[in-house]
Amino acid sequence: MSRTPQEVFADHGKRLGTGDLDLITANYTEDAVFVTPEGTLTGHQGIRAGIGRLLADLPDADWQLTPTFDGNVLFLQWTAATATHEVTDGVDTFVFRDGLISAQTVRYTLTTRTARTTRTA
């Protein structure tokens, strides 16, 4: 039995946490597309490049995800923060086929994280 999109996405999150690009890529179809504002990456080699860039931009990030599933499509809004950088406007779309990810769009703005101070009363 094929995995549901929710199961694939949950597994994808676990695999992303490992940073192992081969393990992450195994959740994508052989002909997957990874679409970014800079262009489209294809196949497992393209997925490795796209995910590799995301992980390099946000190493050991604290992620906040807001997923919305509809059938075989996931609309994902997200934020992420590292010690030095953050994303407050991340948006991805995933398309699932046969228990794998067949297409993903990714768009985010990486900014330098500003120091935050807290006030005490």
Side-chain angles (χ1 to χ4, degrees), residues 20-35:
D20 181 333
L21 292 175
D22 289 331
L23 186 63
I24 295 164
T25 302
N27 256 339
Y28 290 81
T29 62
E30 291 286 333
D31 62 346
V33 294
F34 192 87
V35 183

Side-chain angles (χ1 to χ4, degrees), residues 1 11-12 19 29 31 40 46 50 53 57 59 62 70-71 79 84 88 98:
M1 186 170 144
D11 185 50
H12 181 63
T29 62
D31 62 346
T40 301
R53 178 177 174 201
D57 282 347
D62 177 27
D70 189 354
T79 63
T84 58
T88 60
D98 300 327

Side-chain angles (χ1 to χ4, degrees), residues 24-104:
I24 295 164
T25 302
N27 256 339
Y28 290 81
T29 62
E30 291 286 333
D31 62 346
V33 294
F34 192 87
V35 183
T36 73
E38 292 79 32
T40 301
L41 304 167
T42 59
H44 283 175
Q45 183 177 355
I47 299 302
R48 279 186 196 91
I51 297 292
R53 178 177 174 201
L54 175 69
L55 294 177
D57 282 347
L58 295 162
D60 301 316
D62 177 27
W63 299 85
Q64 300 298 318
L65 309 176
T66 305
T68 303
F69 287 91
D70 189 354
N72 287 327
V73 178
L74 164 61
F75 178 73
L76 179 66
Q77 296 178 81
W78 57 271
T79 63
T82 70
T84 58
H85 291 89
E86 65 185 349
V87 170
T88 60
D89 64 350
V91 176
D92 292 17
T93 301
F94 292 79
V95 178
F96 300 89
R97 183 180 78 223
D98 300 327
L100 296 169
I101 301 164
S102 63
Q104 181 179 354

Side-chain angles (χ1 to χ4, degrees), residues 117-121:
T117 58
T118 57
R119 296 177 127 172
T120 56

